[in-house]
Amino acid sequence: MTQLTLVISNPNYSSWSLRAWFALTAAGIPFTERRIPFLPEATRRERILRHSPSGKVPALWDGDLCVWESLAIGEYLAEKFPDKNLWPADRAARAVARSVSAEMHAGFAALRHHMTMNCRRQRPGVGREAGVAEDIARVTTIWNQCRTQYGQGGPFLFGRLSFADAMYAPVVTRFKTYEVTVDAVSADYMKAVLALPAMQEWYALARAEPETIPQYE
């Protein structure tokens, strides 16, 4: 079997990098990490284009095959490693897991823009701009519905860990950084995600990296 290589950017700032990295690491799938730090845009894009046709990260390489889109990476890993159960076994739960993952992938623009990811900082009260409260409410509604309907058997959205949790892991970090007040179900879910060894390792990587990006501070 070929060695997987995952191309990412800065752990402190790159939410999309976390999604693929989290899925691989939490599932115990071996891979090699290739990190391309945030640099002046032209230089960074040129470097990423050597590894990803979209000019963005993450990108997963399996031999000569490149998978460069986060949801596609999740689907590819689920097919390649069926024993890792990256999607729920139940068909209805699996459909909902894919739906909430796609919603995260395509939406929540206000939350993304005004509460940028920064694992090293605490920024209470910052980022409460137009549309953010609505995005927060929708996220916590999703978390409550998934936990209530499908969360038996474990502390994650669909009980046991799934790719849906990887899609929402960066939101957990944002809510922590900006000290967002959430309901009890959402708070318990956040604690479960943050307690994972994979998340502890990601935070350690974020603290250790040397770069500081002023616009995200």
Side-chain angles (χ1 to χ4, degrees):
M1 183 178 292
T2 57
Q3 174 69 50
L4 299 176
T5 298
L6 182 69
V7 183
I8 64 170
S9 193
N10 292 68
N12 193 49
Y13 304 110
S14 182
S15 59
W16 290 106
S17 294
L18 171 56
R19 291 180 168 100
W21 187 96
F22 179 98
L24 286 158
T25 304
I29 300 171
F31 69 100
T32 297
E33 177 186 310
R34 178 167 291 164
R35 177 178 171 275
I36 300 176
F38 279 95
L39 298 164
E41 181 61 29
T43 304
R44 178 171 179 264
R45 180 171 174 80
E46 179 183 346
R47 287 187 62 186
I48 293 175
L49 279 169
R50 300 173 193 167
H51 307 286
S52 171
S54 67
K56 298 178 180 180
V57 294
L60 179 71
W61 283 88
D62 186 1
D64 294 331
L65 173 66
C66 180
V67 187
W68 65 88
E69 223 299 322
S70 296
L71 282 177
I73 290 172
E75 295 287 2
Y76 183 74
L77 293 174
E79 291 182 3
K80 186 176 178 70
F81 302 97
D83 59 307
K84 299 300 184 180
N85 301 301
L86 290 176
W87 291 118
D90 176 76
R91 183 170 61 182
R94 190 164 60 250
V96 173
R98 285 187 165 118
S99 294
V100 299
S101 296
E103 183 175 351
M104 171 49 61
H105 185 272
F108 303 99
L111 177 63
R112 297 179 197 278
H113 181 72
H114 296 296
M115 289 186 172
T116 55
M117 183 165 152
N118 189 323
C119 296
R120 296 192 297 243
R121 292 286 302 276
Q122 292 299 120
R123 308 185 73 190
V126 177
R128 270 62 169 183
E129 307 295 337
V132 173
E134 291 81 359
D135 281 355
I136 292 170
R138 177 58 187 155
V139 167
T140 57
T141 295
I142 288 170
W143 289 354
N144 272 264
Q145 289 177 341
C146 291
R147 291 289 303 133
T148 300
Q149 295 177 24
Y150 303 105
Q152 298 77 18
F156 303 107
L157 293 179
F158 295 86
R160 63 181 298 164
L161 204 63
S162 74
F163 190 71
D165 299 297
M167 290 299 293
Y168 282 86
V171 180
V172 171
T173 74
R174 283 175 161 100
F175 284 9
K176 179 179 184 295
T177 295
Y178 295 89
E179 299 186 14
V180 174
T181 300
V182 297
D183 60 275
V185 171
S186 297
D188 287 345
Y189 173 64
M190 289 177 59
K191 289 177 185 176
V193 172
L194 291 168
L196 284 166
M199 285 298 286
Q200 298 288 316
E201 184 178 347
W202 184 264
Y203 270 86
L205 291 171
R207 289 191 295 268
E209 69 184 19
E211 296 87 5
T212 298
I213 314 301
Q215 63 264 38
Y216 298 137
E217 292 291 327

